[in-house]
Amino acid sequence: MDQVVQETHELTDRIAREQIQDYVQVLDERLRNSQLRKKDYSIERRNQTKTIATTAGPVVFDRTYFRDKKTNHHVCLVDRLLGLEPHQRISRELASCLLSSAKDISYQGTVERYASSGITSRTTVMNLVHRLGNIESSEGPLPQKKVVSRIYGNAD
């Protein structure tokens, strides 16, 4: 039974990744062919591959970079529509799961728990935690530090 559950889970994740890839491709194609887009943006580069690690696994898709005719800056309109930040490589959902897991177990344990996401480095989890700041541990609060007014030391 466990094998059937695992195979079904892998199949649904693969189907989800393919659906997301197809959705992004359709969005990108519509943007390239849009008359409204042509007024403000010109095509700069096509077929730029991007990979986003998600809970369903790594999603790989091609997208188009545009040049803003007013500011002359390069933009990826698909990223804007999807709510992706520049240089973002991890979905917000996966980042939330990684942070939640890192609160309870080690960074390496978190990587192993979400191995199917495409995250292979505990440094990635550490960087997420450090960007967020302090997180509460489920082990309970740390004991209060002792405050002393004087420290004595002996030296020879």
Side-chain angles (χ1 to χ4, degrees):
M1 183 65 173
D2 291 338
Q3 183 179 359
V4 172
V5 170
Q6 181 65 28
E7 289 174 1
T8 303
H9 185 67
E10 290 171 3
L11 176 65
T12 57
D13 283 350
R14 184 176 55 80
I15 291 170
R17 286 191 309 269
E18 289 172 359
Q19 289 293 317
I20 294 167
Q21 291 166 353
D22 290 344
Y23 176 73
V24 173
Q25 294 305 112
V26 168
L27 278 178
D28 192 60
E29 184 179 334
R30 286 185 181 174
L31 284 169
R32 282 194 319 268
N33 297 330
S34 169
Q35 293 300 320
L36 292 173
R37 187 268 313 155
K38 290 179 182 179
K39 284 192 263 183
D40 297 325
Y41 299 96
S42 62
I43 294 176
E44 186 67 25
R45 292 186 312 250
R46 289 192 55 203
N47 299 326
Q48 299 297 303
T49 302
K50 182 167 182 109
T51 303
I52 299 288
T54 68
T55 54
V59 176
V60 181
F61 53 90
D62 291 332
R63 63 210 175 117
T64 303
Y65 274 99
F66 298 95
R67 185 178 53 82
D68 189 330
K69 292 179 179 178
K70 295 175 186 167
T71 64
N72 219 20
H73 288 110
H74 295 105
V75 294
C76 186
L77 298 177
V78 168
D79 286 357
R80 283 188 184 175
L81 287 175
L82 295 174
L84 296 174
E85 299 293 325
H87 310 293
Q88 181 178 347
R89 300 285 182 247
I90 301 173
S91 71
R92 287 187 183 101
E93 177 192 18
L94 178 59
S96 174
C97 292
L98 291 171
L99 288 169
S100 178
S101 180
K103 177 177 74 169
D104 299 325
I105 59 176
S106 69
Y107 296 155
Q108 184 62 42
T110 299
V111 169
E112 290 168 3
R113 180 180 283 180
Y114 292 97
S116 65
S117 68
I119 301 294
T120 58
S121 169
R122 60 181 174 239
T123 305
T124 302
V125 178
M126 180 192 72
N127 290 338
L128 280 172
V129 170
H130 286 227
R131 255 186 262 136
L132 178 68
N134 294 334
I135 59 173
E136 295 290 325
S137 174
S138 62
E139 295 177 2
L142 295 174
Q144 291 291 334
K145 290 185 179 180
K146 190 175 186 180
V147 179
V148 295
S149 59
R150 289 187 195 164
I151 298 176
Y152 295 98
N154 291 332
D156 287 342

